[in-house]
Amino acid sequence: MGSFLVYLASSVARLAASDWLRPLAATIIAAAHMSAARSRRRCQASASMHTGRWLLALLLAALAPLADAQLTLPKQLSAAPKAATSATEASGETLDPRAQAEALLAEARQQQQQQRLNEREAADDGRPASQRQRLLDRLVLLYGERVKLLDELATLKNLPPETPNQRILMTELAGPPPYSALRVDALRDEFDTLSEHLKSLGAAGRALEEQQAVLIEARKRAGKAVRLAEDRLAKAAGREQIDKDRESRELASLGQRQADADLTAATLGRDLIQMKLEKLRPLREKMQRLLSRVLPEQQLSKEDFEQQQATLRVKQARVSAEINQVVAENSKLATERERLAKLLAGADPNGPIAHRMQVLDVQSETGRLTLMTLTWLDGLIQTASNAWEQRFVGFSSDDPATRQAVLSALQRTSDELVSRQDLFREMQEGARTAVIQQALRLENTSLSSSERSQESAILKALEKRVQDYQRLEVAGRQLHRQINRWLQDFGFSGEAADADNWKLGALQVTNALKRVWDFEMFAVEDSTFVDGKTVTVAYGVTVGKSIGAIALYIVGYWLFSLLSARLQRLMVSRFRVDEQLASVIRRWSMIALASVLVIFILNLARIPLTVFAFMGGALAIGIGFGTQTIIKNVISGIIILFERKIRVGDIVGIEGMTGYVTQVDLRASTVRGFDGLEALVPNSTLLENQVINWTYSNPTVRREISVGVAYGAPVREASEIICGSANDHGLVLDDPAPEVFFEDFGDNALQLVLVFWVALGPNVSARKVCSDLRYAIEKRLGTAGISIAFPQRDVHLDVSEPLPVRVTREPHPGADPGGPPELHPAATRPG
């Protein structure tokens, strides 16, 4: 029974929540109300009634207020389903969308007016509009936007894609050439405007696609909110709760209608953009084909040129008039500020006079900046006039050199405009930031009326700056776009693209190289004293100057090298100067000449020495850390060249190597070993390590040869023979004379030592002299019958006892193993 009652209650609730079953549900609930009353009377008469009847009575009594609510639904609640139904019908294909949109708009306006009448008392009390009023206002706006979009779609279907001006231009340029350059420029402007419009339409279409996805989700949430409101209304108990839930359901229904209207407006807007794109894209392609055809055939006649110049003169006169007006206004502001400054002397520094002066300061600064922008604008107009003159010359002349000069002038103007554009944008951004900050100050609610008026005047002055900068930036951008077009016309496109016009290409390459050659890397100032006054002259260091200076230095250094080498040979051959000294003189002469050459070239190229002043710190740090080893070796080389402790031709021994010094340079020296290998020794090594210089003060060296003769040989005779061999050798010095010393009684020989002196030189080897002497000594001692001893050993045999004999058995390789053994005598030592 309990399950049945629950089912019955839920079924009744669902019936009450359904719009099309609401009358039936109200009837059922009314019958339940009557049954509940009868059940209560029966409960009072009999206390033994069944428990199920008590529960049924309580359920019906609980549903009685809901029945009253459903039987007395207001007109406003029933209007929401009608509106939703009307919106649904408006999207049907069989109905006129324009008529349905107007019907929805009229219905929303009627509800809006009714709601305003209902809330008039609230508006009189100063209370804000209700949420229902805001939703209805939004619906009226969206339905009106839908009507406008439908009208635009209907109008766009019948309109041609091109404007009257575009149609006239395309008709004029459809004929045979030549074509007026002014009309071609006008068509280019229309083409650029159309391209920008298509780009903005594409961006707007993508934005509407993203908005559609968001609105679809919003509509789903609105539908869900309506269903939840209906469920709460079906479950409400009590008159106050029912009224509250009924109002929530009505607001949710209005929100759903707003979501539908938003989505419909976004869809219509996207359709409108798509239709515009479909109409304008073919027009853009048609204009592009026409431009590609007429550009090579355009001409700038003298009449068109004079007409354009007259237009520019009118613009310049207008700007000059504006400049005079701004100057007059600035003079008035300056006079007013001087008057207020006198009054401020005895007034409150935070009073109205001070605030007025602050406003005047901002306005004066704005006037100054406006005068500056107008002056720049006047310069831009003059630049445009000069550019038109260059264009006219380019069209009028067929000389490649003249056309190249036009290209160079236009390119320089374009580069200057690019550099100015960055400055204009920075100034404009700064002015916009100031406007935003001032607008934030105006949002302060604590400002008085006078303070708000002053802050508004400051904001207006700051906005004037933004407008002036924007005007200047737009003018510069338009001129830059025109000059870039002309550069394309005169470049290697159109008529200039002829393969036979090689002179123009050669001139362009030449001028490009000339621009690189004349490129100024940096500028320096040189100060001099003239008649007690300091005169400062600025010099520019260009790429050409630097390359010329380097080339001149290389040629001069090469000539000085040839001259110094010739001078070195002359000093050695004619003046009998030592070769090592001549080499040192040549090297130091080259260093001095190179320094003088650097100073001379810098003065010749008009590059002051102060150029390198700012490099001193950087070079000191960089050289100190990065090239300290090289500098150490160079300084060591200078010390070696000055001291001449080690010279070319010296025989030195260093780090286990002995050889001749063949070259002494600033960084390293070259040592050629006796084995023919050459070693590059850093000069710092020659100073920091121990070096043996065999020929430092005297090239003579003492050498020794040891000879051993046998015991019993005539020692005196052998000594004389050995000394005679040394005296007869031509490289052995007579002073000091060679000597032979009886050194020792050796184990195997009598040791004699020959001591002699040899003067070392490039062609004298002490090793070879020693070898020659050994050959001579061996031969002469052999002829005299004196033998050179060698190590000998005596073996003594002890025979004081007889040797024992022992017989050993050893099988013979060919004997019978079973036969008798053979006997072999063997002598062995005892034990």
Side-chain angles (χ1 to χ4, degrees), residues 592-614:
L593 290 175
S595 301
V596 174
L597 183 63
V598 168
I599 297 174
F600 173 75
I601 291 175
L602 290 177
N603 290 330
L604 185 63
R606 298 183 64 83
I607 300 176
L609 295 177
T610 54
V611 171
F612 306 98
F614 72 97

mmCIF file of all heavy atoms in Angstrom, residues 592-614:
data_model
loop_
_atom_site.group_PDB
_atom_site.id
_atom_site.type_symbol
_atom_site.label_atom_id
_atom_site.label_comp_id
_atom_site.label_asym_id
_atom_site.label_seq_id
_atom_site.Cartn_x
_atom_site.Cartn_y
_atom_site.Cartn_z
ATOM 1 N N ALA A 592 109.760 49.856 -35.520
ATOM 2 C CA ALA A 592 109.633 51.315 -35.542
ATOM 3 C C ALA A 592 108.917 51.785 -36.803
ATOM 4 O O ALA A 592 108.033 52.657 -36.756
ATOM 5 C CB ALA A 592 111.017 51.961 -35.439
ATOM 6 N N LEU A 593 109.288 51.213 -37.946
ATOM 7 C CA LEU A 593 108.639 51.617 -39.192
ATOM 8 C C LEU A 593 107.158 51.249 -39.210
ATOM 9 O O LEU A 593 106.331 51.997 -39.736
ATOM 10 C CB LEU A 593 109.365 50.967 -40.376
ATOM 11 C CG LEU A 593 110.769 51.497 -40.676
ATOM 12 C CD1 LEU A 593 111.422 50.688 -41.783
ATOM 13 C CD2 LEU A 593 110.716 52.976 -41.073
ATOM 14 N N ALA A 594 106.810 50.095 -38.626
ATOM 15 C CA ALA A 594 105.400 49.695 -38.577
ATOM 16 C C ALA A 594 104.587 50.658 -37.716
ATOM 17 O O ALA A 594 103.459 51.036 -38.067
ATOM 18 C CB ALA A 594 105.270 48.268 -38.049
ATOM 19 N N SER A 595 105.160 51.097 -36.604
ATOM 20 C CA SER A 595 104.455 52.060 -35.747
ATOM 21 C C SER A 595 104.250 53.384 -36.469
ATOM 22 O O SER A 595 103.159 53.973 -36.445
ATOM 23 C CB SER A 595 105.231 52.270 -34.452
ATOM 24 O OG SER A 595 105.386 51.037 -33.757
ATOM 25 N N VAL A 596 105.313 53.858 -37.123
ATOM 26 C CA VAL A 596 105.191 55.112 -37.882
ATOM 27 C C VAL A 596 104.190 54.957 -39.010
ATOM 28 O O VAL A 596 103.396 55.866 -39.307
ATOM 29 C CB VAL A 596 106.573 55.536 -38.410
ATOM 30 C CG1 VAL A 596 106.458 56.746 -39.336
ATOM 31 C CG2 VAL A 596 107.510 55.857 -37.257
ATOM 32 N N LEU A 597 104.180 53.800 -39.646
ATOM 33 C CA LEU A 597 103.254 53.556 -40.754
ATOM 34 C C LEU A 597 101.806 53.577 -40.274
ATOM 35 O O LEU A 597 100.926 54.123 -40.945
ATOM 36 C CB LEU A 597 103.588 52.210 -41.406
ATOM 37 C CG LEU A 597 102.755 51.835 -42.632
ATOM 38 C CD1 LEU A 597 102.979 52.836 -43.754
ATOM 39 C CD2 LEU A 597 103.119 50.426 -43.100
ATOM 40 N N VAL A 598 101.537 53.011 -39.105
ATOM 41 C CA VAL A 598 100.172 53.026 -38.563
ATOM 42 C C VAL A 598 99.705 54.452 -38.305
ATOM 43 O O VAL A 598 98.590 54.848 -38.672
ATOM 44 C CB VAL A 598 100.113 52.177 -37.272
ATOM 45 C CG1 VAL A 598 98.802 52.400 -36.540
ATOM 46 C CG2 VAL A 598 100.269 50.709 -37.603
ATOM 47 N N ILE A 599 100.561 55.251 -37.680
ATOM 48 C CA ILE A 599 100.189 56.639 -37.392
ATOM 49 C C ILE A 599 99.973 57.428 -38.684
ATOM 50 O O ILE A 599 99.015 58.201 -38.824
ATOM 51 C CB ILE A 599 101.265 57.299 -36.519
ATOM 52 C CG1 ILE A 599 101.357 56.566 -35.169
ATOM 53 C CG2 ILE A 599 100.964 58.767 -36.314
ATOM 54 C CD1 ILE A 599 102.486 57.056 -34.298
ATOM 55 N N PHE A 600 100.844 57.202 -39.662
ATOM 56 C CA PHE A 600 100.718 57.918 -40.940
ATOM 57 C C PHE A 600 99.425 57.542 -41.665
ATOM 58 O O PHE A 600 98.721 58.410 -42.193
ATOM 59 C CB PHE A 600 101.942 57.591 -41.808
ATOM 60 C CG PHE A 600 101.835 58.134 -43.209
ATOM 61 C CD1 PHE A 600 102.014 59.494 -43.461
ATOM 62 C CD2 PHE A 600 101.531 57.286 -44.267
ATOM 63 C CE1 PHE A 600 101.894 59.990 -44.760
ATOM 64 C CE2 PHE A 600 101.421 57.779 -45.560
ATOM 65 C CZ PHE A 600 101.609 59.133 -45.810
ATOM 66 N N ILE A 601 99.084 56.255 -41.666
ATOM 67 C CA ILE A 601 97.873 55.811 -42.372
ATOM 68 C C ILE A 601 96.623 56.333 -41.675
ATOM 69 O O ILE A 601 95.658 56.747 -42.328
ATOM 70 C CB ILE A 601 97.864 54.276 -42.477
ATOM 71 C CG1 ILE A 601 98.969 53.819 -43.432
ATOM 72 C CG2 ILE A 601 96.515 53.762 -42.954
ATOM 73 C CD1 ILE A 601 99.124 52.322 -43.499
ATOM 74 N N LEU A 602 96.623 56.333 -40.346
ATOM 75 C CA LEU A 602 95.457 56.847 -39.626
ATOM 76 C C LEU A 602 95.247 58.330 -39.907
ATOM 77 O O LEU A 602 94.107 58.791 -40.098
ATOM 78 C CB LEU A 602 95.626 56.604 -38.126
ATOM 79 C CG LEU A 602 95.539 55.145 -37.658
ATOM 80 C CD1 LEU A 602 95.793 55.050 -36.165
ATOM 81 C CD2 LEU A 602 94.173 54.550 -37.995
ATOM 82 N N ASN A 603 96.331 59.093 -39.959
ATOM 83 C CA ASN A 603 96.200 60.520 -40.283
ATOM 84 C C ASN A 603 95.779 60.723 -41.732
ATOM 85 O O ASN A 603 94.989 61.628 -42.044
ATOM 86 C CB ASN A 603 97.522 61.246 -40.016
ATOM 87 C CG ASN A 603 97.821 61.350 -38.533
ATOM 88 O OD1 ASN A 603 96.913 61.419 -37.715
ATOM 89 N ND2 ASN A 603 99.094 61.349 -38.181
ATOM 90 N N LEU A 604 96.293 59.882 -42.617
ATOM 91 C CA LEU A 604 95.934 59.999 -44.028
ATOM 92 C C LEU A 604 94.460 59.682 -44.245
ATOM 93 O O LEU A 604 93.789 60.338 -45.051
ATOM 94 C CB LEU A 604 96.815 59.063 -44.855
ATOM 95 C CG LEU A 604 96.637 59.144 -46.385
ATOM 96 C CD1 LEU A 604 97.039 60.537 -46.880
ATOM 97 C CD2 LEU A 604 97.466 58.072 -47.074
ATOM 98 N N ALA A 605 93.949 58.689 -43.521
ATOM 99 C CA ALA A 605 92.536 58.323 -43.638
ATOM 100 C C ALA A 605 91.636 59.184 -42.768
ATOM 101 O O ALA A 605 90.429 58.927 -42.697
ATOM 102 C CB ALA A 605 92.352 56.843 -43.271
ATOM 103 N N ARG A 606 92.189 60.169 -42.089
ATOM 104 C CA ARG A 606 91.432 61.078 -41.208
ATOM 105 C C ARG A 606 90.717 60.304 -40.113
ATOM 106 O O ARG A 606 89.558 60.567 -39.761
ATOM 107 C CB ARG A 606 90.439 61.919 -42.010
ATOM 108 C CG ARG A 606 91.096 62.821 -43.044
ATOM 109 C CD ARG A 606 90.055 63.685 -43.743
ATOM 110 N NE ARG A 606 89.424 64.601 -42.828
ATOM 111 C CZ ARG A 606 89.925 65.773 -42.457
ATOM 112 N NH1 ARG A 606 91.104 66.170 -42.953
ATOM 113 N NH2 ARG A 606 89.283 66.562 -41.613
ATOM 114 N N ILE A 607 91.426 59.305 -39.582
ATOM 115 C CA ILE A 607 90.922 58.541 -38.437
ATOM 116 C C ILE A 607 91.762 58.954 -37.234
ATOM 117 O O ILE A 607 92.950 58.617 -37.144
ATOM 118 C CB ILE A 607 91.038 57.025 -38.670
ATOM 119 C CG1 ILE A 607 90.238 56.622 -39.904
ATOM 120 C CG2 ILE A 607 90.550 56.253 -37.453
ATOM 121 C CD1 ILE A 607 90.366 55.149 -40.266
ATOM 122 N N PRO A 608 91.207 59.713 -36.314
ATOM 123 C CA PRO A 608 92.016 60.191 -35.176
ATOM 124 C C PRO A 608 92.404 59.040 -34.262
ATOM 125 O O PRO A 608 91.736 58.006 -34.176
ATOM 126 C CB PRO A 608 91.071 61.179 -34.471
ATOM 127 C CG PRO A 608 89.702 60.738 -34.857
ATOM 128 C CD PRO A 608 89.808 60.171 -36.245
ATOM 129 N N LEU A 609 93.514 59.276 -33.568
ATOM 130 C CA LEU A 609 93.985 58.252 -32.641
ATOM 131 C C LEU A 609 93.064 58.082 -31.450
ATOM 132 O O LEU A 609 93.120 57.059 -30.757
ATOM 133 C CB LEU A 609 95.401 58.617 -32.147
ATOM 134 C CG LEU A 609 96.490 58.619 -33.224
ATOM 135 C CD1 LEU A 609 97.816 59.066 -32.621
ATOM 136 C CD2 LEU A 609 96.637 57.242 -33.849
ATOM 137 N N THR A 610 92.194 59.070 -31.215
ATOM 138 C CA THR A 610 91.246 58.944 -30.102
ATOM 139 C C THR A 610 90.230 57.836 -30.339
ATOM 140 O O THR A 610 89.482 57.483 -29.423
ATOM 141 C CB THR A 610 90.519 60.278 -29.903
ATOM 142 O OG1 THR A 610 89.917 60.679 -31.156
ATOM 143 C CG2 THR A 610 91.465 61.350 -29.438
ATOM 144 N N VAL A 611 90.187 57.317 -31.571
ATOM 145 C CA VAL A 611 89.289 56.194 -31.832
ATOM 146 C C VAL A 611 89.615 55.030 -30.919
ATOM 147 O O VAL A 611 88.722 54.305 -30.458
ATOM 148 C CB VAL A 611 89.387 55.773 -33.318
ATOM 149 C CG1 VAL A 611 88.639 54.485 -33.572
ATOM 150 C CG2 VAL A 611 88.853 56.878 -34.196
ATOM 151 N N PHE A 612 90.914 54.851 -30.659
ATOM 152 C CA PHE A 612 91.333 53.686 -29.892
ATOM 153 C C PHE A 612 91.388 53.977 -28.393
ATOM 154 O O PHE A 612 91.783 53.105 -27.623
ATOM 155 C CB PHE A 612 92.717 53.222 -30.366
ATOM 156 C CG PHE A 612 92.770 52.988 -31.850
ATOM 157 C CD1 PHE A 612 93.273 53.950 -32.701
ATOM 158 C CD2 PHE A 612 92.292 51.813 -32.389
ATOM 159 C CE1 PHE A 612 93.321 53.752 -34.066
ATOM 160 C CE2 PHE A 612 92.340 51.596 -33.756
ATOM 161 C CZ PHE A 612 92.850 52.565 -34.605
ATOM 162 N N ALA A 613 91.000 55.183 -28.001
ATOM 163 C CA ALA A 613 91.056 55.506 -26.575
ATOM 164 C C ALA A 613 90.039 54.696 -25.793
ATOM 165 O O ALA A 613 90.327 54.166 -24.710
ATOM 166 C CB ALA A 613 90.827 57.011 -26.374
ATOM 167 N N PHE A 614 88.818 54.597 -26.350
ATOM 168 C CA PHE A 614 87.789 53.860 -25.624
ATOM 169 C C PHE A 614 88.058 52.361 -25.619
ATOM 170 O O PHE A 614 87.436 51.625 -24.853
ATOM 171 C CB PHE A 614 86.420 54.132 -26.263
ATOM 172 C CG PHE A 614 86.224 53.481 -27.589
ATOM 173 C CD1 PHE A 614 85.558 52.266 -27.686
ATOM 174 C CD2 PHE A 614 86.696 54.071 -28.748
ATOM 175 C CE1 PHE A 614 85.370 51.667 -28.909
ATOM 176 C CE2 PHE A 614 86.496 53.469 -29.972
ATOM 177 C CZ PHE A 614 85.830 52.263 -30.052
#
